[in-house]
Amino acid sequence: MADTVPTDVVVSGLSVSYRSNPIPALDDVTFRLGGGVTSLVGRNGSGKSTMLRILATLQRGFSGDVTILGRDPSSRQDRMTIREQSGYLPQNFLFTPSLTVREFLEYCAWLKAVPRQNLTSRVDDAISAVGLGASHRTKLGALSGGMLRRAGIAQTIINDPELLILDEPASGLDPEQRIALRDLISDLGRNRIVLTSTHLIDEAAMHSDRILMLIEGRVAFDGTPTELAAVDVTGAPGGTPIERAYTGLHMLAAASRESAA
């Protein structure tokens, strides 16, 4: 695992537009990420996946400035370096069901150019970190949903990255599996940057040091879970304080759109 808090990720004035949609996917987004776990939250279509693809260097075609681990993702050489220092888990990651956990991770280590002399130890460390030691010879197709997500996270850390990007890692998991995954993500964020996306605000509050909330491509909130829970929007429905704040900020954004129309 990384031994020091890594270089920041810096986003300034980031905007993305698609011809098929008059509303920008991202609109003048600015933030800085340091060590710890940050949850990118928002409803479907808020711009979360676009943001993650840009930070994973999988999407270009944006305006504004982005610096990832001190590198410029618009530079081909820098993109390669960023990828060597990062791990990315898409919401639906591809895998071969017939491969065992160990075989899958050995293949991922090869793809990420892990030196041959370090391959076995890196695979062992990744398996141990995600708690799959007892299942390392199990075929991926035989794993439960929670264990499969753990295998997916294991491949993101096989290269000992400074930055982890996890897109909806708890998708499809039951409550018990979510709790186990939450603890894993918190542990991974102790000495690296972890950016995870979710549309479940209570889930984000339980494992995050920071919440970055997007509404229609704009930053609507940036702060700690405690700070978000303290946001008081009169008349907002919801159960917990943080749910009411989340719903209330969406209500305010909708009211602002209506008044501007």
Side-chain angles (χ1 to χ4, degrees):
M1 299 296 176
D3 295 324
T4 59
V5 175
T7 307
D8 289 351
V9 172
V10 181
V11 173
S12 179
L14 177 62
S15 297
V16 177
S17 295
Y18 301 116
R19 293 180 181 177
S20 59
N21 192 340
I23 299 175
L26 295 172
D27 188 0
D28 195 25
V29 173
T30 296
F31 62 87
R32 179 189 294 265
L33 297 180
V37 179
T38 297
S39 281
L40 188 63
V41 304
R43 294 174 177 171
N44 291 338
S46 63
K48 301 191 304 297
S49 291
T50 298
M51 176 65 70
L52 296 188
R53 286 196 300 270
I54 290 171
L55 295 184
T57 74
L58 299 177
Q59 178 170 330
R60 283 169 274 176
F62 58 82
S63 62
D65 297 316
V66 178
T67 303
I68 304 171
L69 306 176
R71 304 279 179 169
D72 178 4
S74 66
S75 159
R76 183 179 183 280
Q77 183 60 49
D78 278 6
R79 279 199 305 276
M80 299 303 294
T81 302
I82 291 167
R83 290 172 185 176
E84 290 172 358
Q85 298 173 347
S86 304
Y88 173 56
L89 177 68
Q91 185 173 353
N92 297 306
F93 77 99
L94 300 177
F95 63 93
T96 303
S98 60
L99 290 180
T100 67
V101 171
R102 179 170 292 277
E103 289 168 343
F104 169 65
L105 294 178
E106 288 173 347
Y107 177 62
C108 292
W110 175 75
L111 287 178
K112 294 186 178 184
V114 172
R116 181 179 295 274
Q117 65 269 26
N118 297 336
L119 190 146
T120 299
S121 62
R122 288 284 181 85
V123 170
D124 287 343
D125 288 346
I127 288 172
S128 175
V130 301
L132 286 179
S135 304
H136 71 113
R137 295 295 183 188
T138 302
K139 292 184 178 181
L140 296 176
L143 295 178
S144 67
M147 294 174 74
L148 186 59
R149 298 306 283 181
R150 284 175 174 267
I153 291 175
Q155 63 85 18
T156 71
I157 62 175
I158 200 73
N159 55 328
D160 193 26
E162 296 181 358
L163 170 65
L164 290 183
I165 300 171
L166 311 175
D167 192 357
E168 297 280 359
S171 177
L173 303 187
D174 62 34
E176 185 176 351
Q177 291 170 335
R178 288 179 184 276
I179 291 171
L181 183 63
R182 181 193 312 152
D183 293 341
L184 172 59
I185 291 173
S186 295
D187 186 57
L188 292 173
R190 290 179 181 175
N191 54 4
R192 53 170 57 88
I193 299 171
V194 178
L195 178 62
T196 179
S197 74
T198 181
H199 61 280
L200 302 173
I201 187 61
D202 270 351
E203 186 72 27
M206 292 179 184
H207 70 244
S208 304
D209 303 299
R210 176 181 173 191
I211 290 178
L212 189 65
M213 180 176 173
L214 294 180
I215 297 179
E216 294 189 347
R218 296 181 179 180
V219 176
F221 176 84
D222 184 0
T224 67
T226 300
E227 290 168 341
L228 178 56
V231 173
D232 183 15
V233 181
T234 302
T240 65
I242 204 165
E243 287 176 330
R244 289 194 295 272
Y246 180 79
T247 303
L249 288 172
H250 279 92
M251 290 171 52
L252 291 177
S256 177
R257 287 196 308 272
E258 290 176 2
S259 65

